[in-house]
Amino acid sequence: MATVHLDALFKRYANGVPAVNGVSLDVADGEFIVVVGPSGCGKSTLLRMIAGLETVTEGRVVIDGAEVNRREPGDRDIAMVFQNYALYPHMTVEGNMAYGLRNRRVPKAEIAERVRRAAEILELSELLQRRPSQLSGGQRQRVAMGRAIVREPKAFLFDEPLSNLDAKLRVQMRVEIKRLQRRLGTTAIYVTHDQVEAMTLADRLVVMNGGIAEQIGPPLELYDAPATTFVAGFLGAPAMNLLAAEWDGRFARLASGLALALPDLDRAPGPLTLGIRPEHLHFAADSRADATVELVEPLGADTLVHLRLGDAMVVARPTGTVGLASGDAVALDWPAAHIHLFDAEGRRILWTPSERETRSCLPVA
Amino acid sequence: MVENRPFLALLRHLVLILGVALLALPVWLAFVASTQDGGEMLSGQFSLLPSGHLIENYTAVLFQGLASAGVPPVERMIFNSLTMALAISVGKIAISILSAFAIVYFRFPLRKTIFWMIFLTLMLPVEVRIVPTFQVVSDLGLLNSTAGLTLPLIASATATFLFRQFFLSVPPELAEAARMDGAGPMRFFTDILLPLSRTNIAALFVILFIYGWNQYIWPFVATTDESHYTVVMGIQRMVAVPDSEPIWNVVMATAILGMLPPVLVVLAMQRLFVKGLVDSEK
């Protein structure tokens, strides 16, 4: 159990390609941090630098107050769960779990005890003498976790540990990982590209893009107030609707010709991006025709309604079923409390209209 | 095969039987010849059934050799061949697995160059470099010794290349997991790579043992002392006798005895050998 502190970490590969471009992060003791981002965003490189499997080009990795930049992975007292589990194929489950302890010259009796306990927690007691090739995917995953927990490390590192499992097992293991981490109270850093895993597991979420941390914070905070259009578009499925608009001082004019009044926005005229999540885009009981329905996808609990708005497509997500068919013209309601504004660089614009919670941004023809 | 046509089955069997006969008949003839006495062989009436001199012929070659051709007892030569074949296969495997380990898992200056240099020596088998090799071995005073017999044959590009390919197919995460588990490079090598290479080592051992056993030209050049003769050389000596007919029954008995050890090695390691060639458990 320990804190992990990343201080302006950089990673450039020999060919000059920057993979991580200055990431700083403070992980509190026992915290569960999830690093999420699209492939190639540098999240795995970041994790591997913490593990010591990649060298650090610039910056510091500090674990429990001590800089570990130049320390071998085995001397950092951290454990890692790999995407393909990386179990030693010629060792039994027991051998796999004990290997790290044997290398550290832990007394035999203690190894046996720790392995027994870990196997109990992970329900592997019956399988201790099996080889990895005789296990199912979920069991292998559990052995990989067991190998991490017998070490009683300062921190767990997870590198997309669930992506090789089928959907059902993934949900089950996700819950197990969370429960286990809570129970052991070990600091964890978890890398994934799956945003459901990210949202559900994280105490705090790090959204990475192009080698930098776009935003760091509790999952719901990121969901409710994304700092950039990237975070806005990355979290949530279906993604937030992002519409290019031109702000003329009174109205945000969308490309479709729709103009929305944005009350109390104090800003020089210029381009901006207007974002609204599908679940917040409501239909208005009005005779206006803001958009036409292109496609209706009923999911049971809610319905995805794909709407054409000029050249842009937006998705609305009303709960239950709706009596709409493609071709229908609908009027939309734009609640001010749920409209996100971003500037031309994609950064969030602070906007707090008065009576925000009840107000709608009225469209003007 | 899903088809079940009697004619095809017959044809298949015929072809197979023909193949077996083609391979087995010479061996059978050699065995038959080795059981006859010298006169029977030369009478021109060659029987296809073994004669009664089996024990007599074999004890003679095993423990007395063929003094007239300057050939020591086969027992001695088999020991020499065995030493040579074992030293070559064990030496080759040890050197090549370590160099492949270095080339795959370590980053050092000129790594690529060194790999290609090793690879290039594939084009230089003993037969090609026999004169300079002889010079070197002779200058080192290693002629007529086991070291001189085996050392020049040990450096091996083929085995290095095979192990390199195998190591490249081992998931890199295994090495990383071992590093996280606190295993140093040699620990990783002995605890993880070696056990994983077990079947490959076995397959390679079989191939190299036979390669070493069948070495002919190098032992012929590097040894002049009878006490270092190998079986393969001995047979040649027996055949190339001046001014008389080769004593075929003795030659054949020696050949049969000389065939036995490689056959035993193949039989003993057959299961591992096949596994090494087809196994994909990683």
Side-chain angles (χ1 to χ4, degrees):
Chain A
M1 272 161 264
T3 59
V4 176
H5 173 70
L6 307 181
D7 193 4
L9 272 188
F10 281 87
K11 174 72 190 182
R12 272 180 293 273
Y13 284 110
N15 54 13
V17 178
V20 174
N21 248 329
V23 172
S24 296
L25 175 67
D26 263 309
V27 186
D29 186 12
E31 198 175 15
F32 201 122
I33 293 279
V34 176
V35 183
V36 68
S39 31
C41 71
K43 56 189 193 296
S44 278
T45 311
L46 184 77
L47 192 78
R48 292 165 56 84
M49 280 199 282
I50 302 171
L53 298 170
E54 289 293 342
T55 53
V56 174
T57 314
E58 224 177 284
R60 298 192 317 144
V61 178
V62 179
I63 297 175
D64 222 5
E67 182 181 316
V68 295
N69 278 23
R70 306 206 59 83
R71 231 185 260 175
E72 265 294 298
D75 302 331
R76 294 187 182 198
D77 200 9
I78 44 182
M80 184 152 166
V81 178
F82 293 86
Q83 179 175 358
N84 63 3
Y85 320 134
L87 300 178
Y88 311 122
H90 59 292
M91 295 186 192
T92 58
V93 168
E94 186 176 17
N96 265 286
M97 293 208 268
Y99 187 62
L101 298 177
R102 282 212 312 269
N103 284 336
R104 286 182 178 73
R105 300 183 196 288
V106 175
K108 273 219 169 83
E110 195 186 332
I111 295 181
E113 174 57 25
R114 284 210 219 170
V115 169
R116 194 190 59 74
R117 234 178 325 158
E120 218 161 81
I121 294 173
L122 294 164
E123 292 162 29
L124 289 170
S125 305
E126 310 293 305
L127 306 172
L128 280 178
Q129 295 315 319
R130 297 258 192 106
R131 297 275 170 98
S133 56
Q134 300 163 310
L135 301 177
S136 69
Q139 291 168 334
R140 284 182 211 188
Q141 163 65 37
R142 273 209 280 273
V143 177
M145 303 258 302
R147 193 163 66 175
I149 65 176
V150 289
R151 294 258 315 274
E152 298 173 9
K154 286 181 178 159
F156 292 139
L157 305 179
F158 296 94
D159 189 4
E160 310 206 10
L162 304 182
S163 17
N164 283 5
L165 299 177
D166 61 52
K168 198 175 156 204
L169 259 178
R170 204 177 303 168
V171 175
Q172 191 186 328
M173 287 309 294
R174 191 177 77 209
V175 176
E176 261 183 61
I177 288 181
K178 180 87 174 175
R179 238 187 15 222
L180 196 66
Q181 193 267 349
R182 284 276 170 277
R183 175 171 171 184
L184 302 169
T186 310
T187 312
I189 301 175
Y190 185 110
V191 161
T192 180
H193 61 259
D194 181 314
Q195 50 152 315
V196 179
E197 276 171 39
M199 296 294 290
T200 50
L201 286 173
D203 290 326
R204 274 194 305 153
L205 200 56
V206 179
V207 178
M208 279 189 73
N209 181 34
I212 58 163
E214 292 258 345
Q215 194 175 2
I216 302 174
L220 284 179
E221 194 181 304
L222 266 60
Y223 188 83
D224 291 336
T228 63
T229 44
F230 177 81
V231 178
F234 191 78
L235 294 180
M240 181 188 282
N241 299 301
L242 292 169
L243 295 162
E246 193 66 30
W247 170 244
D248 65 3
R250 285 184 60 209
F251 300 107
R253 296 188 182 279
L254 304 183
S256 70
L258 193 73
L260 292 176
L262 300 179
D264 302 336
L265 179 62
D266 182 18
R267 193 177 166 77
L272 50 75
T273 303
L274 195 143
I276 184 163
R277 294 209 177 270
E279 62 266 38
H280 297 139
L281 188 61
H282 298 306
F283 300 113
D286 212 322
S287 57
R288 274 178 297 114
D290 294 341
T292 28
V293 176
E294 282 260 324
L295 186 68
V296 181
E297 297 179 303
L299 299 176
D302 43 23
T303 306
L304 299 183
V305 184
H306 297 260
L307 301 162
R308 174 163 291 283
L309 204 68
D311 285 337
M313 292 294 299
V314 294
V315 181
R317 186 182 194 172
T319 46
T321 48
V322 287
L324 285 172
S326 35
D328 289 358
V330 289
L332 296 170
D333 178 42
W334 305 81
H338 295 300
I339 288 186
H340 307 263
L341 296 178
F342 303 94
D343 65 15
E345 275 80 52
R347 283 187 302 265
R348 183 178 191 80
I349 298 170
L350 274 179
W351 175 47
T352 39
S354 53
E355 301 158 52
R356 181 163 178 259
E357 290 310 318
T358 53
R359 205 152 177 180
S360 280
C361 305
L362 288 177
V364 219
Chain B
M1 295 294 132
V2 274
E3 294 148 282
N4 190 14
R5 277 182 274 175
F7 171 71
L8 276 181
L10 190 74
L11 193 72
R12 276 200 296 271
H13 279 86
L14 266 179
V15 171
L16 288 175
I17 288 167
L18 200 72
V20 170
L22 218 58
L23 292 173
L25 199 63
V27 179
W28 175 247
L29 287 182
F31 176 70
V32 168
S34 73
T35 60
Q36 298 174 335
D37 68 17
E40 275 176 79
M41 281 287 295
L42 296 175
S43 67
Q45 297 283 314
F46 193 81
S47 152
L48 277 178
L49 293 174
S51 178
H53 300 275
L54 182 125
I55 294 167
E56 177 191 328
N57 283 347
Y58 279 80
T59 39
V61 289
L62 258 181
F63 301 113
Q64 283 148 38
L66 198 61
S68 63
V71 177
V74 170
E75 158 221 26
R76 172 84 215 165
M77 296 196 295
I78 283 189
F79 175 77
N80 286 341
S81 283
L82 209 60
T83 320
M84 182 176 76
L86 282 176
I88 289 174
S89 23
V90 172
K92 267 193 184 221
I93 287 172
I95 283 192
S96 49
I97 201 169
L98 282 170
S99 45
F101 176 56
I103 281 170
V104 174
Y105 287 97
F106 292 84
R107 238 168 282 148
F108 51 88
L110 297 181
R111 181 168 74 139
K112 277 250 163 71
T113 321
I114 289 172
F115 171 70
W116 283 111
M117 275 170 66
I118 295 177
F119 197 63
L120 272 180
T121 60
L122 266 182
M123 293 175 206
L124 298 172
V126 187
E127 290 76 8
V128 177
R129 55 184 162 93
I130 199 153
V131 175
T133 306
F134 182 81
Q135 181 71 48
V136 171
V137 171
S138 144
D139 286 353
L140 288 172
L142 291 177
L143 292 177
N144 281 323
S145 72
T146 312
L149 211 51
T150 52
L151 276 182
L153 296 170
I154 281 179
S156 168
T158 344
T160 309
F161 188 70
L162 288 175
F163 279 123
R164 173 183 177 266
Q165 294 309 102
F166 171 67
F167 290 166
L168 286 179
S169 75
V170 172
E173 284 86 358
L174 275 189
E176 290 173 351
R179 276 179 84 189
M180 302 291 300
D181 270 342
M186 285 325 282
R187 254 246 134 83
F188 167 67
F189 179 72
T190 51
D191 287 355
I192 292 163
L193 271 189
L194 268 189
L196 287 182
S197 322
R198 210 184 43 151
T199 49
N200 289 58
I201 292 175
L204 211 57
F205 178 82
V206 172
I207 293 168
L208 291 177
F209 183 86
I210 293 168
Y211 163 85
W213 187 268
N214 287 342
Q215 277 305 312
Y216 167 64
I217 194 160
W218 178 249
F220 200 63
V221 170
T223 60
T224 46
D225 186 349
E226 281 172 21
S227 67
H228 281 101
Y229 275 16
T230 62
V231 174
V232 178
M233 266 176 85
I235 294 171
Q236 193 275 344
R237 271 296 154 97
M238 288 176 175
V239 176
V241 280
D243 302 329
S244 63
E245 288 292 334
I247 307 166
W248 285 112
N249 55 340
V250 174
V251 176
M252 289 305 149
T254 313
I256 292 287
L257 285 173
M259 252 187 292
L260 277 180
V263 169
L264 289 180
V265 165
V266 171
L267 284 182
M269 308 198 68
Q270 196 181 24
R271 271 190 50 234
L272 274 177
F273 178 74
V274 174
K275 235 178 141 190
L277 294 183
V278 299
D279 203 13
S280 61
E281 185 208 358
K282 261 170 221 120

mmCIF file with all atom_site columns, all heavy atoms in Angstrom, chain B residues 169-183:
data_model
loop_
_atom_site.group_PDB
_atom_site.id
_atom_site.type_symbol
_atom_site.label_atom_id
_atom_site.label_alt_id
_atom_site.label_comp_id
_atom_site.label_asym_id
_atom_site.label_entity_id
_atom_site.label_seq_id
_atom_site.pdbx_PDB_ins_code
_atom_site.Cartn_x
_atom_site.Cartn_y
_atom_site.Cartn_z
_atom_site.occupancy
_atom_site.B_iso_or_equiv
_atom_site.pdbx_formal_charge
_atom_site.auth_seq_id
_atom_site.auth_comp_id
_atom_site.auth_asym_id
_atom_site.auth_atom_id
_atom_site.pdbx_PDB_model_num
ATOM 1   N N   . SER B 1 169 ? 9.165  -16.312 -30.739 1.00 0.00 ? 169 SER B N   1
ATOM 2   C CA  . SER B 1 169 ? 7.751  -16.678 -30.685 1.00 0.00 ? 169 SER B CA  1
ATOM 3   C C   . SER B 1 169 ? 7.236  -16.776 -29.252 1.00 0.00 ? 169 SER B C   1
ATOM 4   O O   . SER B 1 169 ? 6.052  -16.931 -29.024 1.00 0.00 ? 169 SER B O   1
ATOM 5   C CB  . SER B 1 169 ? 7.529  -18.010 -31.406 1.00 0.00 ? 169 SER B CB  1
ATOM 6   O OG  . SER B 1 169 ? 8.006  -19.063 -30.611 1.00 0.00 ? 169 SER B OG  1
ATOM 7   N N   . VAL B 1 170 ? 8.130  -16.702 -28.281 1.00 0.00 ? 170 VAL B N   1
ATOM 8   C CA  . VAL B 1 170 ? 7.695  -16.688 -26.875 1.00 0.00 ? 170 VAL B CA  1
ATOM 9   C C   . VAL B 1 170 ? 7.143  -15.296 -26.584 1.00 0.00 ? 170 VAL B C   1
ATOM 10  O O   . VAL B 1 170 ? 7.805  -14.302 -26.889 1.00 0.00 ? 170 VAL B O   1
ATOM 11  C CB  . VAL B 1 170 ? 8.885  -16.996 -25.940 1.00 0.00 ? 170 VAL B CB  1
ATOM 12  C CG1 . VAL B 1 170 ? 8.498  -16.789 -24.497 1.00 0.00 ? 170 VAL B CG1 1
ATOM 13  C CG2 . VAL B 1 170 ? 9.371  -18.414 -26.151 1.00 0.00 ? 170 VAL B CG2 1
ATOM 14  N N   . PRO B 1 171 ? 5.919  -15.191 -26.041 1.00 0.00 ? 171 PRO B N   1
ATOM 15  C CA  . PRO B 1 171 ? 5.352  -13.858 -25.833 1.00 0.00 ? 171 PRO B CA  1
ATOM 16  C C   . PRO B 1 171 ? 6.270  -12.990 -24.973 1.00 0.00 ? 171 PRO B C   1
ATOM 17  O O   . PRO B 1 171 ? 6.726  -13.451 -23.922 1.00 0.00 ? 171 PRO B O   1
ATOM 18  C CB  . PRO B 1 171 ? 4.031  -14.118 -25.104 1.00 0.00 ? 171 PRO B CB  1
ATOM 19  C CG  . PRO B 1 171 ? 3.833  -15.568 -25.094 1.00 0.00 ? 171 PRO B CG  1
ATOM 20  C CD  . PRO B 1 171 ? 5.046  -16.261 -25.599 1.00 0.00 ? 171 PRO B CD  1
ATOM 21  N N   . PRO B 1 172 ? 6.550  -11.765 -25.400 1.00 0.00 ? 172 PRO B N   1
ATOM 22  C CA  . PRO B 1 172 ? 7.463  -10.903 -24.635 1.00 0.00 ? 172 PRO B CA  1
ATOM 23  C C   . PRO B 1 172 ? 6.949  -10.638 -23.225 1.00 0.00 ? 172 PRO B C   1
ATOM 24  O O   . PRO B 1 172 ? 7.730  -10.354 -22.318 1.00 0.00 ? 172 PRO B O   1
ATOM 25  C CB  . PRO B 1 172 ? 7.525  -9.620  -25.451 1.00 0.00 ? 172 PRO B CB  1
ATOM 26  C CG  . PRO B 1 172 ? 6.392  -9.668  -26.406 1.00 0.00 ? 172 PRO B CG  1
ATOM 27  C CD  . PRO B 1 172 ? 6.072  -11.109 -26.627 1.00 0.00 ? 172 PRO B CD  1
ATOM 28  N N   . GLU B 1 173 ? 5.621  -10.769 -23.029 1.00 0.00 ? 173 GLU B N   1
ATOM 29  C CA  . GLU B 1 173 ? 5.068  -10.527 -21.690 1.00 0.00 ? 173 GLU B CA  1
ATOM 30  C C   . GLU B 1 173 ? 5.621  -11.513 -20.674 1.00 0.00 ? 173 GLU B C   1
ATOM 31  O O   . GLU B 1 173 ? 5.671  -11.217 -19.484 1.00 0.00 ? 173 GLU B O   1
ATOM 32  C CB  . GLU B 1 173 ? 3.535  -10.620 -21.700 1.00 0.00 ? 173 GLU B CB  1
ATOM 33  C CG  . GLU B 1 173 ? 2.837  -9.426  -22.300 1.00 0.00 ? 173 GLU B CG  1
ATOM 34  C CD  . GLU B 1 173 ? 2.720  -9.550  -23.803 1.00 0.00 ? 173 GLU B CD  1
ATOM 35  O OE1 . GLU B 1 173 ? 3.221  -10.562 -24.356 1.00 0.00 ? 173 GLU B OE1 1
ATOM 36  O OE2 . GLU B 1 173 ? 2.144  -8.639  -24.435 1.00 0.00 ? 173 GLU B OE2 1
ATOM 37  N N   . LEU B 1 174 ? 6.029  -12.707 -21.137 1.00 0.00 ? 174 LEU B N   1
ATOM 38  C CA  . LEU B 1 174 ? 6.587  -13.675 -20.192 1.00 0.00 ? 174 LEU B CA  1
ATOM 39  C C   . LEU B 1 174 ? 7.869  -13.133 -19.578 1.00 0.00 ? 174 LEU B C   1
ATOM 40  O O   . LEU B 1 174 ? 8.082  -13.244 -18.373 1.00 0.00 ? 174 LEU B O   1
ATOM 41  C CB  . LEU B 1 174 ? 6.881  -14.995 -20.897 1.00 0.00 ? 174 LEU B CB  1
ATOM 42  C CG  . LEU B 1 174 ? 5.732  -15.966 -21.033 1.00 0.00 ? 174 LEU B CG  1
ATOM 43  C CD1 . LEU B 1 174 ? 6.237  -17.291 -21.536 1.00 0.00 ? 174 LEU B CD1 1
ATOM 44  C CD2 . LEU B 1 174 ? 5.021  -16.149 -19.710 1.00 0.00 ? 174 LEU B CD2 1
ATOM 45  N N   . ALA B 1 175 ? 8.710  -12.539 -20.438 1.00 0.00 ? 175 ALA B N   1
ATOM 46  C CA  . ALA B 1 175 ? 9.948  -11.954 -19.920 1.00 0.00 ? 175 ALA B CA  1
ATOM 47  C C   . ALA B 1 175 ? 9.626  -10.805 -18.977 1.00 0.00 ? 175 ALA B C   1
ATOM 48  O O   . ALA B 1 175 ? 10.256 -10.640 -17.931 1.00 0.00 ? 175 ALA B O   1
ATOM 49  C CB  . ALA B 1 175 ? 10.809 -11.467 -21.079 1.00 0.00 ? 175 ALA B CB  1
ATOM 50  N N   . GLU B 1 176 ? 8.613  -10.036 -19.338 1.00 0.00 ? 176 GLU B N   1
ATOM 51  C CA  . GLU B 1 176 ? 8.249  -8.897  -18.493 1.00 0.00 ? 176 GLU B CA  1
ATOM 52  C C   . GLU B 1 176 ? 7.674  -9.363  -17.171 1.00 0.00 ? 176 GLU B C   1
ATOM 53  O O   . GLU B 1 176 ? 7.991  -8.816  -16.115 1.00 0.00 ? 176 GLU B O   1
ATOM 54  C CB  . GLU B 1 176 ? 7.247  -8.009  -19.246 1.00 0.00 ? 176 GLU B CB  1
ATOM 55  C CG  . GLU B 1 176 ? 7.916  -7.298  -20.399 1.00 0.00 ? 176 GLU B CG  1
ATOM 56  C CD  . GLU B 1 176 ? 6.942  -6.538  -21.267 1.00 0.00 ? 176 GLU B CD  1
ATOM 57  O OE1 . GLU B 1 176 ? 5.715  -6.690  -21.081 1.00 0.00 ? 176 GLU B OE1 1
ATOM 58  O OE2 . GLU B 1 176 ? 7.410  -5.792  -22.142 1.00 0.00 ? 176 GLU B OE2 1
ATOM 59  N N   . ALA B 1 177 ? 6.820  -10.405 -17.238 1.00 0.00 ? 177 ALA B N   1
ATOM 60  C CA  . ALA B 1 177 ? 6.245  -10.928 -16.000 1.00 0.00 ? 177 ALA B CA  1
ATOM 61  C C   . ALA B 1 177 ? 7.353  -11.440 -15.097 1.00 0.00 ? 177 ALA B C   1
ATOM 62  O O   . ALA B 1 177 ? 7.329  -11.223 -13.883 1.00 0.00 ? 177 ALA B O   1
ATOM 63  C CB  . ALA B 1 177 ? 5.254  -12.043 -16.305 1.00 0.00 ? 177 ALA B CB  1
ATOM 64  N N   . ALA B 1 178 ? 8.355  -12.087 -15.695 1.00 0.00 ? 178 ALA B N   1
ATOM 65  C CA  . ALA B 1 178 ? 9.470  -12.599 -14.888 1.00 0.00 ? 178 ALA B CA  1
ATOM 66  C C   . ALA B 1 178 ? 10.254 -11.451 -14.266 1.00 0.00 ? 178 ALA B C   1
ATOM 67  O O   . ALA B 1 178 ? 10.676 -11.528 -13.117 1.00 0.00 ? 178 ALA B O   1
ATOM 68  C CB  . ALA B 1 178 ? 10.386 -13.464 -15.746 1.00 0.00 ? 178 ALA B CB  1
ATOM 69  N N   . ARG B 1 179 ? 10.393 -10.367 -15.021 1.00 0.00 ? 179 ARG B N   1
ATOM 70  C CA  . ARG B 1 179 ? 11.096 -9.207  -14.460 1.00 0.00 ? 179 ARG B CA  1
ATOM 71  C C   . ARG B 1 179 ? 10.317 -8.639  -13.282 1.00 0.00 ? 179 ARG B C   1
ATOM 72  O O   . ARG B 1 179 ? 10.887 -8.278  -12.255 1.00 0.00 ? 179 ARG B O   1
ATOM 73  C CB  . ARG B 1 179 ? 11.251 -8.117  -15.516 1.00 0.00 ? 179 ARG B CB  1
ATOM 74  C CG  . ARG B 1 179 ? 12.456 -8.305  -16.409 1.00 0.00 ? 179 ARG B CG  1
ATOM 75  C CD  . ARG B 1 179 ? 12.520 -7.217  -17.442 1.00 0.00 ? 179 ARG B CD  1
ATOM 76  N NE  . ARG B 1 179 ? 13.159 -6.011  -16.919 1.00 0.00 ? 179 ARG B NE  1
ATOM 77  C CZ  . ARG B 1 179 ? 13.191 -4.855  -17.573 1.00 0.00 ? 179 ARG B CZ  1
ATOM 78  N NH1 . ARG B 1 179 ? 12.617 -4.754  -18.761 1.00 0.00 ? 179 ARG B NH1 1
ATOM 79  N NH2 . ARG B 1 179 ? 13.778 -3.804  -17.058 1.00 0.00 ? 179 ARG B NH2 1
ATOM 80  N N   . MET B 1 180 ? 8.986  -8.559  -13.453 1.00 0.00 ? 180 MET B N   1
ATOM 81  C CA  . MET B 1 180 ? 8.158  -8.059  -12.352 1.00 0.00 ? 180 MET B CA  1
ATOM 82  C C   . MET B 1 180 ? 8.264  -8.999  -11.154 1.00 0.00 ? 180 MET B C   1
ATOM 83  O O   . MET B 1 180 ? 8.158  -8.567  -10.019 1.00 0.00 ? 180 MET B O   1
ATOM 84  C CB  . MET B 1 180 ? 6.687  -7.968  -12.760 1.00 0.00 ? 180 MET B CB  1
ATOM 85  C CG  . MET B 1 180 ? 6.378  -7.100  -13.944 1.00 0.00 ? 180 MET B CG  1
ATOM 86  S SD  . MET B 1 180 ? 6.619  -5.341  -13.665 1.00 0.00 ? 180 MET B SD  1
ATOM 87  C CE  . MET B 1 180 ? 5.496  -5.001  -12.344 1.00 0.00 ? 180 MET B CE  1
ATOM 88  N N   . ASP B 1 181 ? 8.428  -10.285 -11.442 1.00 0.00 ? 181 ASP B N   1
ATOM 89  C CA  . ASP B 1 181 ? 8.538  -11.264 -10.366 1.00 0.00 ? 181 ASP B CA  1
ATOM 90  C C   . ASP B 1 181 ? 9.942  -11.292 -9.768  1.00 0.00 ? 181 ASP B C   1
ATOM 91  O O   . ASP B 1 181 ? 10.267 -12.179 -8.981  1.00 0.00 ? 181 ASP B O   1
ATOM 92  C CB  . ASP B 1 181 ? 8.163  -12.659 -10.882 1.00 0.00 ? 181 ASP B CB  1
ATOM 93  C CG  . ASP B 1 181 ? 6.666  -12.914 -10.714 1.00 0.00 ? 181 ASP B CG  1
ATOM 94  O OD1 . ASP B 1 181 ? 6.043  -12.197 -9.916  1.00 0.00 ? 181 ASP B OD1 1
ATOM 95  O OD2 . ASP B 1 181 ? 6.132  -13.821 -11.363 1.00 0.00 ? 181 ASP B OD2 1
ATOM 96  N N   . GLY B 1 182 ? 10.782 -10.370 -10.192 1.00 0.00 ? 182 GLY B N   1
ATOM 97  C CA  . GLY B 1 182 ? 12.096 -10.255 -9.564  1.00 0.00 ? 182 GLY B CA  1
ATOM 98  C C   . GLY B 1 182 ? 13.122 -11.254 -10.068 1.00 0.00 ? 182 GLY B C   1
ATOM 99  O O   . GLY B 1 182 ? 14.109 -11.515 -9.388  1.00 0.00 ? 182 GLY B O   1
ATOM 100 N N   . ALA B 1 183 ? 12.892 -11.828 -11.266 1.00 0.00 ? 183 ALA B N   1
ATOM 101 C CA  . ALA B 1 183 ? 13.866 -12.769 -11.804 1.00 0.00 ? 183 ALA B CA  1
ATOM 102 C C   . ALA B 1 183 ? 14.851 -12.017 -12.688 1.00 0.00 ? 183 ALA B C   1
ATOM 103 O O   . ALA B 1 183 ? 14.450 -11.272 -13.570 1.00 0.00 ? 183 ALA B O   1
ATOM 104 C CB  . ALA B 1 183 ? 13.158 -13.842 -12.626 1.00 0.00 ? 183 ALA B CB  1
#
